[in-house]
Amino acid sequence: GDSVTQMEGPVTLSEEAFLTINCTYTATGYPSLFWYVQYPGEGLQLLLKATKADDKGSNKGFEATYRKETTSFHLEKGSVQVSDSAVYFCALTNQAGTALIFGKGTTLSVSS
Amino acid sequence: GAVVSQHPSWVICKSGTSVKIECRSLDFQATTMFWYRQFPKQSLMLMATSNEGSKATYEQGVEKDKFLINHASLTLSTLTVTSAHPEDSSFYICSAGQGYATEAFFGQGTRLTVV
């Protein structure tokens, strides 16, 4: 079945460092891909998404490009801030949008 | 954005007792609510989808008699873990929306520990 694999955490970085969180997927058809973020004490929020190959999703300085050839959707940010400390989930959905399939989540901790 | 409130945020209960978790949409009407579960170091897994006024649809492998879901109004869904056991200890998250899972808003989650 469809699945998402993302890198194990925690990821610990200093402020202004470059961030990459790897995400690869297995799916039939052409899924849409998502990154969600969960800040401490809050619900998951959609961070960015891409709906077709080569699309780049971006938001709040984060980017991810839908790579069909490598079945990847890696999350990147050029300069992280302490406020980016959170858990990040990669996810995909089927074409009907009736279900979300998540990765295990990666905890990011940024120190000043 | 839309707000979904989940209560309680954490709960500890004794083995054999039942626990109810509430999921409320505070500023919109949610025709569809989704319940997820996340075991430590595992993925967030969809347990069931509920539509207001009808029976929930459970994912394969989820016991409907153990995890009772009620979605009696457009702003409230409840998940009751009946006769809880330590293996039910997990992080439970709801999301609420008006159809598609990708357009639903998430609650903050409930950490259940069964002792």
Side-chain angles (χ1 to χ4, degrees), chain A residues 4 8 34 36 38 41-46 89 93 96-105, chain B residues 34 36 38 41-46 49 91 93 99-109:
Chain A
V4 174
E8 294 278 336
F34 305 83
Y36 284 82
Q38 184 175 27
E42 299 183 14
L44 274 75
Q45 304 171 28
L46 179 63
F89 293 88
T93 187
T98 55
L100 276 167
I101 298 167
F102 287 90
K104 296 180 182 181
Chain B
F34 305 86
Y36 299 83
Q38 184 179 29
K41 300 188 185 299
Q42 300 298 314
S43 301
L44 202 59
M45 300 295 293
L46 180 66
T49 303
F91 192 55
I93 300 178
Y100 295 112
T102 54
E103 296 172 4
F105 299 92
F106 284 82
Q108 77 274 29

